[in-house]
Amino acid sequence: AQSVTQLGSHVSVSEGALVLLRCNYSSSVPPYLFWYVQYPNQGLQLLLKYTTGATLVKGINGFEAEFKKSETSFHLTKPSAHMSDAAEYFCAVSDRSGGFKTIFGAGTRLFVKA
Amino acid sequence: GAGVSQTPSNKVTEKGKYVELRCDPISGHTALYWYRQSLGQGPEFLIYFQGTGAADDSGLPNDRFFAVRPEGSVSTLKIQRTERGDSAVYLCASSNHHRDSATEAFFGQGTRLTVV
């Protein structure tokens, strides 16, 4: 069975500071990994995904994530936070060997202080 | 349409009543997913359709929940004898992936169900 753990339900950073949102996964088979963002009163939007190949994945809005198999992690980073980055972020894992059921973490709410 | 459309956007119903939630996926998308998101939680998988058939319904919590997709496009999530614990935002997503390919799932805005 697959699972996702997001460390920290709330993260607060200052504008211009590094953003680091942590995600660890559990999967018995090589996973697909995703980060989604949910802005207030909007639907979920894909930020980036890892499938195969390069382990450092770049997404929209300056975000990137690195797949580390040895650590079973897929942490999301952004060098410099903007006020517009304030949102809920979800890490997700999908089983590539069978169906495409995607399991989501509980989410991390990012606050950006001026 | 341009995106995944869910109707209604809000639904308030009395405990014990029957409700139907509708999802219009992006045209041409073969895969359709239903999720449930409770307050402060991530989306919880309910069911996944590939075409007209339910490829994985392991997330449906009990037999009060049922979903159909008779023509491989629009899907309806049906909840019988609603309970207060069913209150949540129900999300629908669609994608056009093939096996061994992780393509993006596009989410609708959700239906907020409140059981009183």
Side-chain angles (χ1 to χ4, degrees), chain B residues 18 57-67 77-83 86:
Chain B
Y18 167 83
D57 64 357
S58 62
L60 295 178
N62 52 59
D63 61 6
R64 296 188 296 106
F65 288 74
F66 190 71
L77 178 66
K78 308 181 180 192
I79 310 175
Q80 298 178 319
R81 304 183 304 279
T82 52
E83 301 177 355
D86 299 334

Side-chain angles (χ1 to χ4, degrees), chain A residues 11-25:
Chain A
V11 170
S12 182
V13 300
S14 298
E15 194 172 21
L18 171 72
V19 176
L20 171 61
L21 305 182
R22 299 178 186 274
C23 172
N24 287 89
Y25 70 91

Side-chain angles (χ1 to χ4, degrees), chain A:
Chain A
Q2 297 178 306
S3 65
V4 175
T5 302
Q6 291 185 240
L7 299 176
S9 59
H10 297 83
V11 170
S12 182
V13 300
S14 298
E15 194 172 21
L18 171 72
V19 176
L20 171 61
L21 305 182
R22 299 178 186 274
C23 172
N24 287 89
Y25 70 91
S26 172
S27 178
S28 58
V29 297
Y32 294 136
L33 295 162
F34 308 84
W35 275 99
Y36 283 85
V37 60
Q38 189 172 35
Y39 297 103
N41 301 315
Q42 294 189 27
L44 284 161
Q45 178 183 357
L46 182 70
L47 268 181
L48 49 80
K49 67 181 179 185
Y50 167 78
T51 55
T52 59
T55 56
L56 183 62
V57 180
K58 295 186 184 299
I60 61 172
N61 300 338
F63 284 92
E64 61 183 36
E66 186 171 9
F67 169 59
K68 291 187 176 181
K69 183 179 178 182
S70 61
E71 298 178 7
T72 61
S73 69
F74 191 57
H75 302 330
L76 182 71
T77 60
K78 181 175 180 177
S80 177
H82 294 166
M83 297 297 289
S84 59
D85 294 328
E88 185 101 26
Y89 291 81
F90 294 95
C91 182
V93 61
S94 179
D95 179 359
R96 69 171 66 204
S97 70
F100 290 87
K101 178 169 68 178
T102 301
I103 304 299
F104 285 80
T108 297
R109 182 165 293 280
L110 176 66
F111 297 91
V112 182
K113 300 175 291 186

Side-chain angles (χ1 to χ4, degrees), chain B residues 6-114:
Chain B
Q6 292 187 245
T7 54
S9 55
N10 280 283
K11 175 71 176 178
V12 179
T13 190
E14 292 181 347
K15 179 176 177 295
K17 298 289 189 183
Y18 167 83
V19 296
E20 290 189 352
L21 311 180
R22 176 187 168 106
C23 173
D24 272 279
I26 293 173
S27 179
H29 277 190
T30 57
L32 184 146
Y33 311 80
W34 283 100
Y35 287 83
R36 177 170 69 176
Q37 187 174 19
S38 301
L39 195 63
Q41 301 293 321
E44 172 193 7
F45 172 81
L46 296 177
I47 186 170
Y48 150 60
F49 289 89
Q50 183 66 272
T52 60
D56 185 342
D57 64 357
S58 62
L60 295 178
N62 52 59
D63 61 6
R64 296 188 296 106
F65 288 74
F66 190 71
V68 296
R69 195 186 185 199
E71 298 178 359
S73 178
V74 171
S75 176
T76 304
L77 178 66
K78 308 181 180 192
I79 310 175
Q80 298 178 319
R81 304 183 304 279
T82 52
E83 301 177 355
R84 292 196 179 87
D86 299 334
S87 297
V89 176
Y90 289 81
L91 298 171
C92 177
S94 71
S95 69
N96 197 24
H97 62 241
H98 302 280
R99 199 175 184 85
D100 298 328
S101 173
T103 59
E104 178 179 355
F106 294 84
F107 282 80
Q109 301 270 46
T111 293
R112 182 176 298 279
L113 175 66
T114 304

